[in-house]
């Protein structure tokens, strides 16, 4: 059983997917604390409903981000957190924070990295005209969305998609792959070799996808 901290800023549907996976016994973890940098985040309600302690970051208490992050590290260490989960956490973490948890911070990004890093990835995918996008769970390093990739899921992009319709389609896949990535970690099945994340005892994914369909 591993101890998680989940960092959120918004609606918290990924947090909910993780909670549900734990409660249904699919994920061997416990959430020790939820941390939000937004006191209005609906994710806070979700945590409270499940009796998970919540800490709200008040940036005005710490004018220097590094000081705030040092405080966060202390909180996480005092809760014996094994893995830090960024679930729609829209605030950059300082180098000191990232170095305190080397390859022990996961993030989910709503695109197939390295395509469309940064903000509004779904909008970028629609505007670019790609036929597939998706989501990526990766370890966090000191770059923006650049860390080693753990698992990805692919979603088609249709001609009539908007940022919102694509975001919804991708979000469904996020809710499947994030608990799985955490469970790989909990099972001790993750090995990192340079940029590559190897999942031990994992059957190969078969088949290819195309969009639009090949008809000939
Ligand atoms: C998710 O789509 C997640 O991939 C994205 O924010 C959303 C949070 O939704 N994260 C990023 O864009 C990080 N760069 P949620 O609050 O419902 O889990």
């Amino acid at each position: 059983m591993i101890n998680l901290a989940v960092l959120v800023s918004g609606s918290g549907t990924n947090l909910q997917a993780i909670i549900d996976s734990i409660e249904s016994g699919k994920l061997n973890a416990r959430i020790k604390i939820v941390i939000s940098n937004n006191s209005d985040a609906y994710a806070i309600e979700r945590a409270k409903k499940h009796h998970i302690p919540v800490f709200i970051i008040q940036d005005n208490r710490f004018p220097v981000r590094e000081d705030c992050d040092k405080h966060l590290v202390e909180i996480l260490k005092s809760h014996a957190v094994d893995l830090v989960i960024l679930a729609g956490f829209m605030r950059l973490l300082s180098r000191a924070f990232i170095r305190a948890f080397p390859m022990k911070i996961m993030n989910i990004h709503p695109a197939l990295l390295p395509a469309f890093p940064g903000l509004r990835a779904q909008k970028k995918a629609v505007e670019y005209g790609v036929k597939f996008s998706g989501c990526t769970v990766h370890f966090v390093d000191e770059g923006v969305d650049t860390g080693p990739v753990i698992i990805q899921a692919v979603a088609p992009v249709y001609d009539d998609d908007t940022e919102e319709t694509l975001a919804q389609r991708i979000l469904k896949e996020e809710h499947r792959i994030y608990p799985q990535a955490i469970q790989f970690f909990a099972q001790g099945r993750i090995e990192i070799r340079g940029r590559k994340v190897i999942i031990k005892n994992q059957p190969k994914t078969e088949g290819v996808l195309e969009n639009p369909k090949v008809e000939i």
Side-chain angles (χ1 to χ4, degrees):
M1 178 81 74
I2 57 165
N3 291 335
L4 308 177
V6 184
L7 277 57
V8 296
S9 302
S11 91
T13 63
N14 277 289
L15 168 66
Q16 190 67 55
I18 294 164
I19 293 172
D20 293 346
S21 297
I22 291 172
E23 291 190 349
S24 66
K26 292 181 195 160
L27 173 53
N28 287 320
R30 74 171 84 80
I31 303 176
K32 297 282 282 189
I33 189 160
V34 165
I35 296 178
S36 176
N37 67 329
N38 169 13
S39 57
D40 296 327
Y42 185 66
I44 296 171
E45 305 308 316
R46 297 181 192 270
K48 285 186 177 161
K49 221 180 262 176
H50 294 268
H51 312 290
I52 301 167
V54 174
F55 178 81
I56 295 168
I57 302 170
Q58 288 165 308
D59 274 324
N60 52 358
R61 262 188 65 203
F62 296 98
V64 180
R65 197 178 60 196
E66 277 73 15
D67 293 341
C68 181
D69 284 10
K70 265 187 210 154
H71 185 57
L72 291 184
V73 170
E74 280 167 22
I75 293 172
L76 298 183
K77 299 272 182 198
S78 74
H79 283 81
V81 166
D82 301 300
L83 184 65
V84 180
I85 301 298
L86 309 185
F89 186 61
M90 297 302 189
R91 171 183 177 278
L92 289 176
L93 290 166
S94 63
R95 187 178 293 182
F97 185 100
I98 292 163
R99 289 189 179 172
F101 295 96
M103 296 301 139
K104 289 192 166 46
I105 308 172
M106 285 185 188
N107 180 44
I108 190 150
H109 182 75
L112 294 174
L113 290 171
F116 313 126
L119 296 174
R120 302 191 73 177
Q122 305 93 331
K123 180 172 188 277
K124 289 174 189 161
V126 167
E127 285 175 356
Y128 193 93
V130 288
K131 300 299 185 190
F132 287 104
S133 189
C135 45
T136 303
V137 180
H138 63 96
F139 285 113
V140 173
D141 64 10
E142 289 174 28
V144 175
D145 301 325
T146 53
V149 171
I150 303 163
I151 182 169
Q152 294 184 305
V154 176
V157 183
Y158 300 125
D159 298 343
D160 56 357
D161 263 327
T162 61
E163 178 182 7
E164 290 73 26
T165 58
L166 180 60
Q168 280 309 314
R169 191 172 311 123
I170 291 173
L171 200 54
K172 270 196 204 150
E173 305 311 315
E174 295 185 33
H175 299 160
R176 295 173 56 238
I177 67 171
Y178 216 173
Q180 176 64 79
I182 300 166
Q183 178 65 358
F184 285 147
F185 186 96
Q187 292 171 320
R189 287 171 65 193
I190 293 187
E191 189 187 314
I192 303 170
R193 294 187 206 147
R195 278 210 55 84
K196 287 198 183 170
V197 175
I198 315 292
I199 310 295
K200 293 176 213 160
N201 305 316
Q202 176 65 7
K204 283 187 178 149
T205 298
E206 302 272 349
V208 292
L209 296 170
E210 77 266 340
N211 178 34
K213 277 274 167 217
V214 174
E215 293 179 349
I216 56 168

